[in-house]
Amino acid sequence: MTRSAEVDAYMATLDHHMTAQVEKLRAAILDADPRVNESIKWNAPSFFIDDHFATFNLHYPDRVQIVLHAGAKVNPDAIQFEISDPAGLLKWASVDRASVTFGSAAEVDDRLASFLDIVRQWIALTS
């Protein structure tokens, strides 16, 4: 896991009622693949190997959202990503962009393994 001082500093000042769950999800994403690094992008923790593939959206006070993407911009020529999602966590915004939203600590705990499986599949498709 490659934690960055930049994200550590951001997390130390994060004022969100699900900060502990953000840390849990952050650790899971970093542990998903030894090549994963992190930085701050769009004013939130973001994860990359060659290009950014996942970014937290922490603007909602009542939930935590992770946007899974294939870089910074939507690629109109991208093929539909094929991701196994038996738990139904993904909400697709385009063929190469989806989000996963957690509304509670229990939801993070209950769905963490399914989320991690999705992240590993996403990494395989984007790196």
Side-chain angles (χ1 to χ4, degrees), residues 49-121:
I49 293 176
D50 296 320
D51 201 358
H52 288 264
F53 65 86
T55 305
F56 277 98
N57 177 351
L58 301 173
H59 298 290
Y60 303 108
D62 61 337
R63 60 190 176 268
V64 170
Q65 186 176 69
I66 300 97
V67 179
L68 299 166
H69 48 85
K73 297 181 181 177
V74 174
N75 180 355
D77 300 323
I79 59 168
Q80 176 70 50
F81 281 17
E82 296 291 328
I83 301 284
S84 175
D85 179 21
L89 298 180
L90 291 172
K91 181 177 178 186
W92 290 92
S94 69
V95 296
D96 64 349
R97 190 170 301 261
S99 62
V100 177
T101 303
F102 298 96
S104 68
E107 207 173 329
V108 171
D109 291 342
D110 292 346
R111 298 181 175 181
L112 188 60
S114 296
F115 172 70
L116 189 53
D117 183 53
I118 288 169
V119 169
R120 286 186 177 128
Q121 291 176 72

